[in-house]
Amino acid sequence: MAWLLVIVAGLLETGFAVCLKLSHGFTRLWPTVAFAAFALGSFGLLTLSLKKLDVGPAYAVWTGIGAAGTAIYGMIFLGDLVSTLKIVSICLVIAGVIGLQLSGSAH
């Protein structure tokens, strides 16, 4: 259950990063409100998950999902540059998160 919280928190991190961009420096109301809601939800779920999980692997998964998810969302929906290097780098982030998770101790 704790890992499910981390995964959802990572997806919410993607949401708050995208809304941060869409808020244009907190000058647009609804993206700013959505940013705050996603951020509170993300940090809240991460906090709950850390009651049961080691901080290193949980944080890596959370940030990995957020970073990869935000980059992928940006390329698909926001017109961000798509390049082979960017896609390979996203894969390396995901591989690093998986490696860190596999090397950690399980509870």
Coordinates of all heavy atoms in Angstrom, one line a residue:
M1 N 0.8 -1.2 0.0 CA 0.0 0.0 0.0 C 0.9 1.3 0.0 O 0.5 2.2 -0.7 CB -0.9 0.0 1.2 CG -1.8 1.1 1.3 SD -3.0 1.2 0.0 CE -4.0 2.5 0.4
A2 N 2.0 1.2 0.7 CA 2.8 2.4 0.8 C 3.4 2.8 -0.6 O 3.5 3.9 -0.9 CB 3.9 2.2 1.8
W3 N 3.8 1.7 -1.3 CA 4.3 2.0 -2.7 C 3.2 2.6 -3.6 O 3.5 3.4 -4.5 CB 4.9 0.8 -3.3 CG 6.3 0.5 -2.7 CD1 6.7 -0.5 -1.9 CD2 7.4 1.4 -2.9 NE1 8.0 -0.3 -1.6 CE2 8.5 0.8 -2.1 CE3 7.7 2.6 -3.6 CZ2 9.8 1.4 -2.1 CZ3 8.9 3.1 -3.6 CH2 10.0 2.6 -2.8
L4 N 2.0 2.2 -3.4 CA 0.9 2.8 -4.2 C 0.8 4.3 -3.9 O 0.6 5.1 -4.8 CB -0.4 2.1 -4.0 CG -1.6 2.6 -4.7 CD1 -1.4 2.5 -6.2 CD2 -2.9 1.8 -4.3
L5 N 1.0 4.6 -2.6 CA 0.9 6.0 -2.3 C 2.1 6.8 -2.9 O 1.9 7.9 -3.4 CB 1.0 6.2 -0.8 CG -0.1 5.7 0.1 CD1 0.1 5.9 1.6 CD2 -1.4 6.3 -0.3
V6 N 3.2 6.2 -3.0 CA 4.4 6.9 -3.7 C 4.1 7.1 -5.1 O 4.4 8.1 -5.7 CB 5.7 6.1 -3.5 CG1 6.8 6.7 -4.3 CG2 6.1 6.0 -2.0
I7 N 3.5 6.1 -5.8 CA 3.2 6.2 -7.2 C 2.2 7.3 -7.5 O 2.4 8.1 -8.4 CB 2.8 4.8 -7.8 CG1 3.9 3.8 -7.8 CG2 2.2 5.0 -9.2 CD1 3.6 2.4 -8.0
V8 N 1.2 7.3 -6.7 CA 0.1 8.3 -6.9 C 0.8 9.7 -6.6 O 0.5 10.7 -7.3 CB -1.1 8.1 -6.0 CG1 -2.1 9.2 -6.1 CG2 -1.8 6.8 -6.5
A9 N 1.6 9.8 -5.5 CA 2.3 11.1 -5.2 C 3.1 11.5 -6.3 O 3.2 12.7 -6.7 CB 3.1 10.9 -3.9
G10 N 3.8 10.6 -7.0 CA 4.7 10.9 -8.2 C 3.8 11.5 -9.3 O 4.2 12.4 -10.0
L11 N 2.7 10.8 -9.5 CA 1.8 11.3 -10.6 C 1.3 12.7 -10.3 O 1.2 13.6 -11.1 CB 0.6 10.4 -10.8 CG 1.0 9.0 -11.4 CD1 -0.2 8.0 -11.4 CD2 1.6 9.1 -12.8
L12 N 1.0 13.0 -9.0 CA 0.5 14.3 -8.6 C 1.7 15.3 -8.7 O 1.5 16.5 -9.0 CB 0.0 14.3 -7.1 CG -1.3 13.5 -6.9 CD1 -1.6 13.4 -5.4 CD2 -2.4 14.2 -7.7
E13 N 2.9 14.8 -8.5 CA 4.1 15.7 -8.7 C 4.1 16.2 -10.2 O 4.4 17.3 -10.5 CB 5.4 15.0 -8.3 CG 6.6 16.0 -8.5 CD 7.9 15.3 -8.3 OE1 8.0 14.1 -8.1 OE2 8.9 16.0 -8.4
T14 N 3.9 15.3 -11.1 CA 3.8 15.6 -12.5 C 2.7 16.7 -12.7 O 2.9 17.7 -13.4 CB 3.5 14.4 -13.4 OG1 4.5 13.5 -13.3 CG2 3.3 14.8 -14.8
G15 N 1.6 16.5 -12.1 CA 0.5 17.5 -12.2 C 0.9 18.9 -11.6 O 0.6 19.9 -12.3
F16 N 1.6 18.9 -10.5 CA 1.9 20.2 -9.9 C 3.0 20.9 -10.8 O 3.0 22.1 -10.9 CB 2.2 20.2 -8.4 CG 3.5 19.8 -7.9 CD1 4.7 20.6 -8.1 CD2 3.6 18.7 -7.1 CE1 5.9 20.2 -7.6 CE2 4.9 18.4 -6.5 CZ 6.0 19.1 -6.8
A17 N 3.9 20.1 -11.4 CA 4.9 20.7 -12.2 C 4.3 21.3 -13.5 O 4.7 22.5 -13.9 CB 6.0 19.7 -12.6
V18 N 3.4 20.6 -14.1 CA 2.7 21.1 -15.3 C 1.9 22.4 -14.9 O 1.9 23.4 -15.7 CB 1.8 20.0 -15.9 CG1 1.0 20.6 -17.0 CG2 2.7 18.9 -16.5
C19 N 1.2 22.3 -13.8 CA 0.3 23.5 -13.4 C 1.2 24.7 -13.1 O 0.8 25.8 -13.3 CB -0.6 23.1 -12.3 SG -1.9 22.0 -12.8
L20 N 2.4 24.4 -12.5 CA 3.3 25.5 -12.2 C 3.7 26.2 -13.5 O 3.7 27.5 -13.6 CB 4.6 24.9 -11.6 CG 5.6 25.9 -11.0 CD1 4.9 26.8 -10.0 CD2 6.8 25.2 -10.4
K21 N 3.9 25.5 -14.6 CA 4.2 26.1 -15.9 C 3.0 26.9 -16.4 O 3.1 28.0 -16.8 CB 4.6 25.1 -16.9 CG 4.8 25.8 -18.3 CD 5.4 24.8 -19.3 CE 5.6 25.4 -20.7 NZ 6.4 26.6 -20.8
L22 N 1.8 26.2 -16.3 CA 0.6 26.9 -16.8 C 0.2 28.1 -16.0 O -0.6 28.9 -16.5 CB -0.5 25.8 -16.9 CG -0.3 24.6 -17.8 CD1 -1.4 23.6 -17.7 CD2 -0.1 25.1 -19.3
S23 N 0.6 28.2 -14.8 CA 0.2 29.3 -13.9 C 0.9 30.6 -14.4 O 0.5 31.7 -13.9 CB 0.6 29.0 -12.5 OG 2.0 29.2 -12.2
H24 N 2.0 30.5 -15.2 CA 2.7 31.7 -15.7 C 3.1 32.6 -14.5 O 2.8 33.8 -14.4 CB 1.9 32.5 -16.7 CG 1.8 31.8 -18.0 ND1 2.7 31.9 -19.0 CD2 0.8 30.9 -18.4 CE1 2.3 31.1 -20.0 NE2 1.2 30.5 -19.7
G25 N 3.9 32.0 -13.6 CA 4.4 32.7 -12.4 C 3.3 33.1 -11.4 O 3.3 34.1 -10.8
F26 N 2.3 32.2 -11.3 CA 1.2 32.4 -10.4 C 0.3 33.6 -10.7 O -0.3 34.2 -9.9 CB 1.7 32.5 -8.9 CG 2.4 31.3 -8.4 CD1 3.7 31.4 -7.8 CD2 1.8 30.0 -8.4 CE1 4.4 30.3 -7.3 CE2 2.5 28.9 -8.0 CZ 3.8 29.1 -7.4
T27 N 0.3 33.9 -12.0 CA -0.6 35.0 -12.5 C -1.9 34.5 -13.0 O -2.8 35.3 -13.3 CB 0.1 35.8 -13.6 OG1 0.4 35.0 -14.7 CG2 1.4 36.4 -13.0
R28 N -2.1 33.2 -13.2 CA -3.4 32.6 -13.6 C -4.0 31.8 -12.5 O -3.3 30.9 -11.9 CB -3.1 31.7 -14.9 CG -2.7 32.5 -16.1 CD -2.6 31.7 -17.3 NE -2.3 32.5 -18.4 CZ -1.9 32.0 -19.6 NH1 -1.8 30.7 -19.8 NH2 -1.6 32.8 -20.6
L29 N -5.2 32.2 -12.1 CA -5.8 31.6 -10.9 C -6.0 30.1 -10.9 O -5.5 29.5 -10.0 CB -7.2 32.3 -10.7 CG -8.0 31.8 -9.5 CD1 -7.3 32.0 -8.2 CD2 -9.4 32.3 -9.5
W30 N -6.6 29.5 -11.9 CA -7.0 28.1 -11.8 C -5.7 27.2 -11.9 O -5.7 26.2 -11.2 CB -8.0 27.7 -12.8 CG -9.3 28.4 -12.4 CD1 -10.0 29.4 -13.1 CD2 -10.0 28.2 -11.2 NE1 -11.1 29.8 -12.4 CE2 -11.2 29.1 -11.2 CE3 -9.9 27.4 -10.1 CZ2 -12.1 29.2 -10.2 CZ3 -10.8 27.5 -9.0 CH2 -11.9 28.4 -9.1
P31 N -4.8 27.5 -12.8 CA -3.6 26.7 -12.7 C -2.8 26.8 -11.4 O -2.2 25.8 -10.9 CB -2.7 27.2 -13.9 CG -3.7 27.8 -14.9 CD -4.8 28.4 -14.0
T32 N -2.9 28.0 -10.8 CA -2.2 28.2 -9.5 C -3.0 27.4 -8.4 O -2.3 26.7 -7.6 CB -2.2 29.7 -9.1 OG1 -1.5 30.4 -10.1 CG2 -1.6 29.9 -7.8
V33 N -4.3 27.4 -8.4 CA -5.1 26.6 -7.5 C -4.8 25.1 -7.7 O -4.6 24.4 -6.7 CB -6.6 26.9 -7.6 CG1 -7.4 25.9 -6.8 CG2 -6.9 28.4 -7.2
A34 N -4.8 24.7 -8.9 CA -4.5 23.3 -9.2 C -3.1 22.9 -8.8 O -2.8 21.8 -8.2 CB -4.6 23.0 -10.7
F35 N -2.1 23.8 -9.0 CA -0.7 23.6 -8.5 C -0.7 23.3 -7.0 O -0.1 22.4 -6.5 CB 0.2 24.8 -8.9 CG 1.4 24.8 -8.0 CD1 2.5 24.0 -8.3 CD2 1.5 25.7 -6.9 CE1 3.6 24.0 -7.5 CE2 2.6 25.7 -6.1 CZ 3.7 24.9 -6.4
A36 N -1.4 24.2 -6.3 CA -1.4 24.0 -4.8 C -2.1 22.7 -4.4 O -1.6 22.0 -3.5 CB -2.2 25.2 -4.2
A37 N -3.2 22.4 -5.0 CA -3.9 21.1 -4.7 C -3.0 19.9 -5.0 O -2.9 19.0 -4.2 CB -5.2 21.0 -5.5
F38 N -2.4 19.9 -6.2 CA -1.5 18.8 -6.6 C -0.3 18.7 -5.7 O 0.1 17.6 -5.2 CB -1.0 18.9 -8.0 CG -2.1 18.5 -9.1 CD1 -2.3 19.3 -10.1 CD2 -2.7 17.3 -9.0 CE1 -3.2 19.0 -11.1 CE2 -3.7 16.9 -10.0 CZ -3.9 17.8 -11.0
A39 N 0.3 19.8 -5.3 CA 1.5 19.8 -4.5 C 1.1 19.3 -3.1 O 1.9 18.5 -2.5 CB 2.1 21.2 -4.4
L40 N 0.0 19.8 -2.5 CA -0.4 19.3 -1.2 C -0.7 17.8 -1.2 O -0.3 17.1 -0.3 CB -1.6 20.1 -0.7 CG -1.3 21.5 -0.2 CD1 -2.6 22.3 0.1 CD2 -0.4 21.5 1.0
G41 N -1.4 17.4 -2.2 CA -1.7 16.0 -2.3 C -0.4 15.1 -2.5 O -0.2 14.1 -1.8
S42 N 0.5 15.6 -3.3 CA 1.7 14.9 -3.6 C 2.6 14.8 -2.3 O 3.0 13.7 -1.9 CB 2.5 15.5 -4.7 OG 3.7 14.8 -5.0
F43 N 2.8 15.9 -1.7 CA 3.6 15.9 -0.4 C 3.0 15.1 0.7 O 3.6 14.4 1.5 CB 4.0 17.3 0.0 CG 5.0 18.0 -0.9 CD1 4.7 19.1 -1.6 CD2 6.3 17.5 -0.9 CE1 5.6 19.7 -2.4 CE2 7.3 18.1 -1.7 CZ 6.9 19.2 -2.4
G44 N 1.6 15.2 0.8 CA 0.9 14.5 1.8 C 1.0 13.0 1.6 O 1.3 12.3 2.6
L45 N 0.8 12.5 0.4 CA 0.9 11.1 0.2 C 2.4 10.6 0.4 O 2.6 9.5 0.9 CB 0.4 10.7 -1.2 CG -1.1 10.9 -1.4 CD1 -1.4 10.6 -2.9 CD2 -1.9 10.1 -0.5
L46 N 3.3 11.4 -0.1 CA 4.7 11.0 0.2 C 5.0 10.9 1.7 O 5.6 9.9 2.1 CB 5.7 12.0 -0.5 CG 7.2 11.6 -0.3 CD1 7.5 10.3 -1.0 CD2 8.0 12.8 -0.9
T47 N 4.5 11.9 2.4 CA 4.7 11.9 3.9 C 4.1 10.6 4.5 O 4.7 10.0 5.3 CB 4.1 13.1 4.5 OG1 4.7 14.3 3.9 CG2 4.2 13.1 6.0
L48 N 2.9 10.2 4.1 CA 2.3 9.0 4.6 C 3.1 7.8 4.3 O 3.2 6.9 5.1 CB 0.8 8.9 4.1 CG -0.2 9.9 4.6 CD1 -1.5 9.7 3.9 CD2 -0.3 9.8 6.1
S49 N 3.6 7.7 3.0 CA 4.3 6.5 2.6 C 5.6 6.4 3.4 O 6.1 5.2 3.6 CB 4.6 6.6 1.1 OG 5.6 7.5 0.8
L50 N 6.2 7.5 3.8 CA 7.5 7.4 4.5 C 7.4 6.9 5.9 O 8.4 6.6 6.5 CB 8.2 8.8 4.5 CG 8.7 9.3 3.1 CD1 9.2 10.7 3.2 CD2 9.7 8.3 2.5
K51 N 6.2 6.7 6.4 CA 6.0 6.0 7.7 C 6.4 4.6 7.6 O 6.8 4.0 8.6 CB 4.6 6.1 8.1 CG 4.2 7.5 8.5 CD 2.7 7.6 9.0 CE 2.3 9.0 9.4 NZ 0.9 9.0 9.9
K52 N 6.3 4.0 6.4 CA 6.6 2.6 6.2 C 7.8 2.3 5.3 O 8.3 1.2 5.3 CB 5.4 1.9 5.5 CG 4.1 2.0 6.2 CD 3.9 0.9 7.1 CE 2.5 1.0 7.7 NZ 2.3 0.1 8.8
L53 N 8.3 3.2 4.5 CA 9.3 3.0 3.5 C 10.6 3.7 3.9 O 10.6 4.8 4.5 CB 8.9 3.5 2.1 CG 7.6 2.8 1.6 CD1 7.2 3.5 0.3 CD2 7.8 1.3 1.4
D54 N 11.7 3.2 3.4 CA 13.0 3.9 3.5 C 12.9 5.2 2.6 O 12.4 5.1 1.5 CB 14.1 3.0 3.0 CG 14.4 1.9 3.9 OD1 14.0 1.9 5.1 OD2 15.1 0.9 3.4
V55 N 13.5 6.2 3.1 CA 13.4 7.5 2.4 C 14.1 7.5 1.0 O 13.6 8.1 0.1 CB 13.9 8.7 3.3 CG1 15.4 8.6 3.5 CG2 13.5 10.0 2.7
G56 N 15.3 6.9 0.9 CA 16.0 7.0 -0.3 C 15.2 6.4 -1.5 O 15.0 7.1 -2.5
P57 N 14.9 5.1 -1.5 CA 14.1 4.5 -2.6 C 12.8 5.2 -2.8 O 12.4 5.4 -4.0 CB 13.9 3.1 -2.2 CG 15.0 2.8 -1.2 CD 15.2 4.1 -0.5
A58 N 12.1 5.6 -1.8 CA 10.7 6.2 -1.9 C 10.9 7.6 -2.6 O 10.1 7.9 -3.5 CB 10.0 6.3 -0.6
Y59 N 11.8 8.3 -2.2 CA 12.1 9.7 -2.8 C 12.5 9.5 -4.2 O 12.1 10.3 -5.1 CB 13.1 10.4 -1.9 CG 13.3 11.9 -2.4 CD1 12.3 12.8 -2.1 CD2 14.4 12.2 -3.2 CE1 12.5 14.1 -2.6 CE2 14.6 13.5 -3.6 CZ 13.6 14.5 -3.3 OH 13.8 15.7 -3.8
A60 N 13.3 8.5 -4.5 CA 13.8 8.3 -5.9 C 12.6 8.0 -6.8 O 12.6 8.5 -7.9 CB 14.9 7.3 -5.9
V61 N 11.8 7.1 -6.3 CA 10.6 6.8 -7.1 C 9.7 8.0 -7.4 O 9.3 8.3 -8.5 CB 9.8 5.6 -6.5 CG1 8.5 5.4 -7.2 CG2 10.7 4.3 -6.6
W62 N 9.5 8.7 -6.3 CA 8.6 9.9 -6.3 C 9.2 10.9 -7.3 O 8.5 11.4 -8.2 CB 8.5 10.5 -5.0 CG 7.7 11.7 -4.8 CD1 6.3 11.9 -5.0 CD2 8.2 13.1 -4.5 NE1 5.9 13.2 -4.8 CE2 7.1 13.9 -4.5 CE3 9.4 13.6 -4.3 CZ2 7.2 15.3 -4.2 CZ3 9.5 14.9 -4.0 CH2 8.4 15.8 -4.0
T63 N 10.5 11.2 -7.2 CA 11.0 12.2 -8.1 C 11.2 11.7 -9.5 O 11.1 12.4 -10.5 CB 12.4 12.7 -7.6 OG1 13.3 11.6 -7.5 CG2 12.3 13.5 -6.3
G64 N 11.5 10.4 -9.6 CA 11.6 9.8 -11.0 C 10.3 9.8 -11.7 O 10.3 10.2 -12.9
I65 N 9.2 9.5 -11.1 CA 7.9 9.5 -11.7 C 7.6 11.0 -12.1 O 7.1 11.3 -13.2 CB 6.8 9.0 -10.8 CG1 7.0 7.4 -10.7 CG2 5.4 9.3 -11.4 CD1 6.1 6.8 -9.6
G66 N 7.9 11.9 -11.2 CA 7.6 13.3 -11.4 C 8.4 13.9 -12.6 O 7.9 14.5 -13.5
A67 N 9.7 13.6 -12.6 CA 10.6 14.1 -13.7 C 10.3 13.5 -15.0 O 10.1 14.2 -16.0 CB 12.0 13.8 -13.3
A68 N 10.2 12.1 -15.0 CA 9.8 11.5 -16.3 C 8.4 11.8 -16.8 O 8.2 12.1 -18.0 CB 10.0 10.0 -16.2
G69 N 7.5 11.8 -15.9 CA 6.1 12.2 -16.3 C 6.0 13.6 -16.8 O 5.3 13.8 -17.8
T70 N 6.7 14.5 -16.1 CA 6.6 15.9 -16.6 C 7.2 16.1 -17.9 O 6.7 16.8 -18.8 CB 7.3 16.8 -15.5 OG1 6.6 16.7 -14.3 CG2 7.2 18.3 -16.0
A71 N 8.4 15.5 -18.1 CA 9.1 15.6 -19.4 C 8.2 14.9 -20.6 O 8.1 15.5 -21.6 CB 10.4 14.9 -19.4
I72 N 7.6 13.8 -20.3 CA 6.8 13.1 -21.3 C 5.5 14.0 -21.6 O 5.2 14.2 -22.7 CB 6.4 11.7 -20.8 CG1 7.7 10.8 -20.8 CG2 5.3 11.1 -21.7 CD1 7.5 9.5 -20.1
Y73 N 4.9 14.5 -20.5 CA 3.7 15.3 -20.7 C 4.1 16.6 -21.5 O 3.3 16.9 -22.5 CB 3.1 15.8 -19.4 CG 1.8 16.5 -19.5 CD1 0.6 15.8 -19.4 CD2 1.8 17.9 -19.7 CE1 -0.6 16.5 -19.5 CE2 0.6 18.6 -19.8 CZ -0.6 17.9 -19.7 OH -1.8 18.6 -19.8
G74 N 5.2 17.2 -21.2 CA 5.6 18.4 -22.0 C 5.8 18.1 -23.4 O 5.5 18.9 -24.3
M75 N 6.4 16.9 -23.7 CA 6.7 16.6 -25.1 C 5.4 16.3 -25.9 O 5.2 16.7 -27.0 CB 7.6 15.4 -25.2 CG 9.0 15.7 -24.9 SD 10.2 14.4 -25.2 CE 9.7 13.2 -23.9
I76 N 4.4 15.7 -25.2 CA 3.2 15.3 -25.9 C 2.2 16.4 -26.0 O 1.6 16.7 -27.0 CB 2.5 14.1 -25.2 CG1 3.4 12.8 -25.3 CG2 1.1 13.8 -25.7 CD1 3.0 11.6 -24.5
F77 N 2.0 17.2 -24.9 CA 1.0 18.2 -24.8 C 1.4 19.7 -24.8 O 0.6 20.5 -25.1 CB 0.1 17.9 -23.6 CG -0.6 16.6 -23.6 CD1 -0.1 15.6 -22.7 CD2 -1.6 16.3 -24.4 CE1 -0.8 14.4 -22.7 CE2 -2.3 15.1 -24.4 CZ -1.8 14.1 -23.5
L78 N 2.6 19.9 -24.5 CA 3.0 21.3 -24.4 C 4.0 21.8 -25.5 O 4.5 22.9 -25.4 CB 3.7 21.6 -23.0 CG 2.7 21.3 -21.8 CD1 3.5 21.5 -20.5 CD2 1.5 22.2 -21.9
G79 N 4.3 20.9 -26.4 CA 5.2 21.3 -27.5 C 6.7 21.4 -27.1 O 7.4 22.0 -27.8
D80 N 7.0 20.7 -26.0 CA 8.5 20.7 -25.7 C 9.2 19.9 -26.8 O 8.7 19.0 -27.4 CB 8.7 20.0 -24.3 CG 8.2 20.8 -23.2 OD1 7.7 22.0 -23.4 OD2 8.2 20.4 -22.0
L81 N 10.5 20.2 -26.9 CA 11.4 19.6 -27.8 C 11.4 18.1 -27.6 O 11.6 17.6 -26.5 CB 12.8 20.1 -27.8 CG 13.9 19.5 -28.6 CD1 13.6 19.8 -30.1 CD2 15.2 20.0 -28.2
V82 N 11.3 17.3 -28.7 CA 11.5 15.8 -28.6 C 12.8 15.5 -29.3 O 13.0 15.9 -30.4 CB 10.3 15.1 -29.3 CG1 10.5 13.6 -29.2 CG2 8.9 15.5 -28.7
S83 N 13.6 14.8 -28.6 CA 14.9 14.4 -29.1 C 15.3 13.0 -28.6 O 14.8 12.6 -27.6 CB 16.0 15.4 -28.8 OG 16.3 15.3 -27.4
T84 N 16.1 12.4 -29.4 CA 16.6 11.0 -29.0 C 17.3 11.1 -27.6 O 17.1 10.3 -26.8 CB 17.6 10.5 -30.0 OG1 16.9 10.4 -31.3 CG2 18.0 9.1 -29.7
L85 N 18.1 12.1 -27.4 CA 18.8 12.3 -26.2 C 17.9 12.4 -25.0 O 18.0 11.9 -23.9 CB 19.8 13.4 -26.2 CG 20.6 13.7 -25.0 CD1 21.4 12.4 -24.6 CD2 21.5 14.9 -25.1
K86 N 16.8 13.2 -25.2 CA 15.8 13.4 -24.1 C 15.1 12.1 -23.8 O 14.9 11.7 -22.6 CB 14.8 14.5 -24.5 CG 13.8 14.8 -23.4 CD 12.8 15.9 -23.8 CE 13.4 17.3 -23.6 NZ 12.4 18.3 -23.8
I87 N 14.7 11.3 -24.8 CA 14.1 10.0 -24.6 C 15.0 9.1 -23.9 O 14.6 8.4 -22.9 CB 13.5 9.5 -25.9 CG1 12.3 10.4 -26.4 CG2 13.0 8.1 -25.7 CD1 11.9 10.2 -27.8
V88 N 16.2 9.0 -24.3 CA 17.2 8.1 -23.7 C 17.4 8.5 -22.2 O 17.5 7.7 -21.3 CB 18.6 8.1 -24.5 CG1 19.7 7.4 -23.7 CG2 18.4 7.4 -25.8
S89 N 17.5 9.8 -22.0 CA 17.7 10.3 -20.6 C 16.5 10.0 -19.7 O 16.7 9.6 -18.5 CB 17.9 11.8 -20.6 OG 19.1 12.2 -21.4
I90 N 15.3 10.1 -20.2 CA 14.1 9.7 -19.5 C 14.2 8.2 -19.1 O 13.9 7.8 -18.0 CB 12.8 10.0 -20.2 CG1 12.6 11.5 -20.3 CG2 11.6 9.3 -19.6 CD1 11.5 11.9 -21.3
C91 N 14.6 7.4 -20.1 CA 14.8 5.9 -19.8 C 15.9 5.7 -18.8 O 15.7 4.8 -17.9 CB 15.1 5.2 -21.1 SG 13.8 5.2 -22.3
L92 N 16.9 6.5 -18.8 CA 18.0 6.3 -17.8 C 17.5 6.7 -16.4 O 17.8 6.1 -15.4 CB 19.2 7.2 -18.1 CG 20.0 6.7 -19.3 CD1 21.1 7.7 -19.7 CD2 20.7 5.3 -19.0
V93 N 16.6 7.7 -16.3 CA 16.0 8.1 -15.0 C 15.2 6.9 -14.5 O 15.3 6.5 -13.3 CB 15.2 9.4 -15.1 CG1 14.3 9.6 -13.9 CG2 16.1 10.6 -15.4
I94 N 14.4 6.4 -15.3 CA 13.5 5.3 -14.9 C 14.4 4.1 -14.5 O 14.1 3.4 -13.5 CB 12.5 4.9 -16.1 CG1 11.5 6.1 -16.3 CG2 11.8 3.6 -15.8 CD1 10.7 6.0 -17.5
A95 N 15.4 3.8 -15.3 CA 16.3 2.6 -15.0 C 17.0 2.9 -13.6 O 17.2 2.0 -12.8 CB 17.3 2.4 -16.1
G96 N 17.4 4.1 -13.4 CA 18.1 4.4 -12.1 C 17.1 4.3 -10.9 O 17.5 3.7 -9.9
V97 N 15.9 4.7 -11.1 CA 14.9 4.5 -10.0 C 14.7 3.0 -9.8 O 14.6 2.6 -8.6 CB 13.6 5.2 -10.4 CG1 12.4 4.8 -9.5 CG2 13.8 6.7 -10.3
I98 N 14.5 2.2 -10.8 CA 14.3 0.8 -10.7 C 15.5 0.2 -10.0 O 15.4 -0.7 -9.1 CB 14.0 0.1 -12.0 CG1 12.6 0.6 -12.5 CG2 14.1 -1.4 -11.9 CD1 12.4 0.2 -14.0
G99 N 16.7 0.5 -10.4 CA 17.9 0.0 -9.8 C 18.0 0.3 -8.3 O 18.4 -0.5 -7.5
L100 N 17.7 1.6 -8.0 CA 17.7 2.0 -6.6 C 16.7 1.2 -5.8 O 17.0 0.7 -4.7 CB 17.5 3.4 -6.4 CG 17.9 4.0 -5.1 CD1 19.4 4.3 -5.1 CD2 17.1 5.3 -4.9
Q101 N 15.6 1.0 -6.3 CA 14.5 0.2 -5.7 C 15.0 -1.3 -5.5 O 14.8 -1.8 -4.4 CB 13.2 0.3 -6.4 CG 12.1 -0.6 -5.9 CD 11.7 -0.4 -4.5 OE1 12.0 0.7 -4.0 NE2 11.2 -1.4 -3.8
L102 N 15.5 -1.9 -6.5 CA 16.0 -3.3 -6.4 C 17.1 -3.5 -5.5 O 17.3 -4.5 -4.9 CB 16.4 -3.8 -7.8 CG 15.2 -3.9 -8.8 CD1 15.7 -4.3 -10.2 CD2 14.2 -4.9 -8.3
S103 N 17.9 -2.4 -5.3 CA 19.1 -2.5 -4.4 C 18.8 -2.3 -2.9 O 19.6 -2.6 -2.0 CB 20.2 -1.6 -4.8 OG 19.8 -0.2 -4.5
G104 N 17.6 -1.7 -2.7 CA 17.2 -1.4 -1.3 C 16.6 -2.6 -0.5 O 16.3 -3.7 -1.1
S105 N 16.4 -2.4 0.7 CA 15.8 -3.5 1.5 C 14.3 -3.3 1.5 O 13.8 -2.2 1.4 CB 16.3 -3.4 3.0 OG 15.9 -2.1 3.5
A106 N 13.6 -4.4 1.5 CA 12.2 -4.5 1.5 C 11.7 -4.6 2.9 O 12.3 -5.3 3.8 CB 11.7 -5.6 0.7
H107 N 10.5 -4.0 3.2 CA 9.9 -4.1 4.5 C 8.7 -4.9 4.4 O 7.9 -4.9 3.6 CB 9.5 -2.7 5.0 CG 10.7 -1.8 5.4 ND1 11.3 -2.0 6.6 CD2 11.3 -0.8 4.8 CE1 12.3 -1.1 6.7 NE2 12.3 -0.4 5.6

